[in-house]
Amino acid sequence: ILNVEQSPQSLHVQEGDSTNFTCSFPSSNFYALHWYRWETAKSPEALFVMTLNGDEKKKGRISATLNTKEGYSYLYIKGSQPEDSATYLCAPYNNNDMRFGAGTRLTVKP
Amino acid sequence: KAGVTQTPRYLIKTRGQQVTLSCSPISGHRSVSWYQQTPGQGLQFLFEYFSETQRNKGNFPGRFSGRQFSNSRSEMNVSTLELGDSALYLCASSANVDPDVLTFGAGSRLTVL
């Protein structure tokens, strides 16, 4: 069973702040890493799928990096807006098995 | 293009009953995964089906079962319901097996009294 850790568990920032959070996962037999964004009362939506060590992906103000050798990924949000408030989930895929972390709950105050 | 459709959206059952939840994936998607979310917990993986075969199973008791039909629609069944089974059950579909992006349905919220 994959041991996926996300930190911090929750985060409160002011509008305009930049923020980042971490996803840690086993580096052995790594295949892919997914990031999802889950807003309250909605379904999780895919942000990124990353497969290569050193990969960096960007979508608007949100970007992510991947280190498969040490088993971590960072998600960055630049200039947070209230609409960024959501839970951000990572899910590594190892050994034909994909499991979600508990998520980082981000609240952006206007 | 229709999204992932889950039915029913809400249901209330009593302890000891059984429940069947349905998931219709996006047309052309062959992989369906099921997840449980309870308050304070992340998404807990239940099982994954691809082309009618169960590929993976999470750490849930045998009361939780599932299947996938030839049209890729999937059902999950929970027998002998317990209070702790109250949760949001999400299904997600993808075109192929990982690392394809998952598209989630709106979920079925089960309350067990």
Side-chain angles (χ1 to χ4, degrees):
Chain A
I1 295 178
L2 288 178
N3 185 22
V4 185
E5 294 184 2
Q6 289 191 249
S7 61
Q9 192 172 28
S10 66
L11 196 53
H12 294 253
V13 301
Q14 288 294 136
E15 182 175 354
D17 287 350
S18 292
T19 187
N20 66 85
F21 18 94
T22 307
C23 171
S24 300
F25 52 87
S27 56
S28 59
N29 298 308
F30 172 85
Y31 193 75
L33 188 284
H34 293 221
W35 279 101
Y36 288 82
R37 167 195 157 95
W38 194 359
E39 291 181 74
T40 303
K42 294 186 178 180
S43 306
E45 291 183 334
L47 286 172
F48 308 113
V49 178
M50 309 173 79
T51 56
L52 300 175
N53 184 46
D55 212 1
E56 182 170 346
K57 297 218 171 180
K58 190 174 181 181
K59 190 175 184 177
R61 293 178 292 97
I62 304 175
S63 60
T65 60
L66 178 66
N67 184 321
T68 62
K69 293 183 179 179
E70 296 181 42
Y72 65 84
S73 176
Y74 293 138
L75 190 80
Y76 302 91
I77 302 179
K78 184 178 179 181
S80 302
Q81 300 296 308
E83 57 265 31
D84 296 329
S85 297
T87 297
Y88 292 83
L89 302 168
C90 73
Y93 187 82
N94 300 48
N95 286 329
N96 293 321
D97 191 11
M98 186 166 94
R99 304 297 164 105
F100 281 82
T104 292
R105 186 176 182 87
L106 174 67
T107 304
V108 183
K109 302 174 187 175
Chain B
K1 189 175 181 180
V4 178
T5 304
Q6 289 189 246
T7 57
R9 290 290 314 280
Y10 302 92
L11 66 166
I12 299 174
K13 293 283 187 178
T14 56
R15 279 181 297 176
Q17 287 187 309
Q18 74 160 12
V19 66
T20 298
L21 308 178
S22 177
C23 173
S24 294
I26 288 174
S27 178
H29 283 195
R30 294 189 294 165
S31 175
V32 174
S33 303
W34 287 90
Y35 297 87
Q36 180 199 64
Q37 196 230 2
T38 51
Q41 297 287 322
L43 289 175
Q44 303 296 310
F45 173 72
L46 282 155
F47 19 69
E48 179 199 357
Y49 288 89
F50 181 80
S51 294
E52 301 179 68
T53 301
Q54 187 181 86
R55 290 186 69 243
N56 267 312
K57 189 176 190 307
N59 192 26
F60 278 81
R63 299 184 297 107
F64 291 80
S65 63
R67 58 178 175 169
Q68 187 180 34
F69 302 96
S70 59
N71 62 357
S72 293
R73 189 177 72 85
S74 177
E75 287 181 348
M76 67 162 280
N77 183 276
V78 188
S79 62
T80 319
L81 284 166
E82 300 177 359
L83 295 179
D85 297 333
S86 294
L88 177 68
Y89 291 88
L90 287 169
C91 95
S93 74
S94 64
N96 296 294
V97 295
D98 222 86
D100 259 0
V101 168
L102 298 179
T103 302
F104 283 85
S108 293
R109 185 166 292 282
L110 170 66
T111 302
V112 182
L113 302 176

